[in-house]
Amino acid sequence: MEASDVVRRRCTVAAEPNRDGGVTLYGVDGRAYQAIDASEGVCERLRELGRGDTVTAVLEPVRCRGDGWRIVRLDGVTSRGHPLERTPSSSTDGGVDGPEP
């Protein structure tokens, strides 16, 4: 997989994440991202999220029958009505799109 396949998007959690890292995210552009997998560190953070939380997620496409994505990293989380939490890994990686407005 090439670095250009990785995207960084600001998204809203559409439903409670499942224990395996699966969750539906809605991008600010209205696109739905079906995250069917997540890295180990992300799974722990996903358990803390709920419907309506906003995240800045680094996603990579997953080869599957549909339009599946893997959450590589969560850079920021805004719990419903709370300010954005920045993490030390918030810097942009090479080949990763910048944050959406």
Side-chain angles (χ1 to χ4, degrees):
M1 182 162 307
E2 297 179 24
S4 61
D5 291 338
V6 178
V7 296
R8 184 171 186 254
R9 295 286 184 260
R10 187 132 167 88
C11 302
T12 301
V13 178
E16 300 294 321
N18 69 31
R19 60 184 156 79
D20 297 324
V23 66
T24 300
L25 303 171
Y26 289 127
V28 294
D29 59 355
R31 179 174 178 182
Y33 294 90
Q34 299 296 328
I36 59 174
D37 189 25
S39 64
E40 189 174 317
V42 171
C43 284
E44 290 178 26
R45 290 191 70 196
L46 280 175
R47 288 185 199 110
E48 300 168 6
L49 298 178
R51 184 173 184 224
D53 289 347
T54 303
V55 297
T56 300
V58 177
L59 306 162
E60 65 183 8
V62 174
R63 201 169 162 93
C64 63
R65 292 181 100 179
D67 184 25
W69 294 84
R70 179 175 193 262
I71 304 173
V72 177
R73 188 175 73 234
L74 295 176
D75 284 345
V77 175
T78 304
S79 296
R80 296 161 292 254
H82 298 341
L84 183 66
E85 167 199 319
R86 295 282 181 189
T87 61
S89 62
S90 299
S91 63
T92 304
D93 295 359
V96 177
D97 295 339
E100 292 182 345

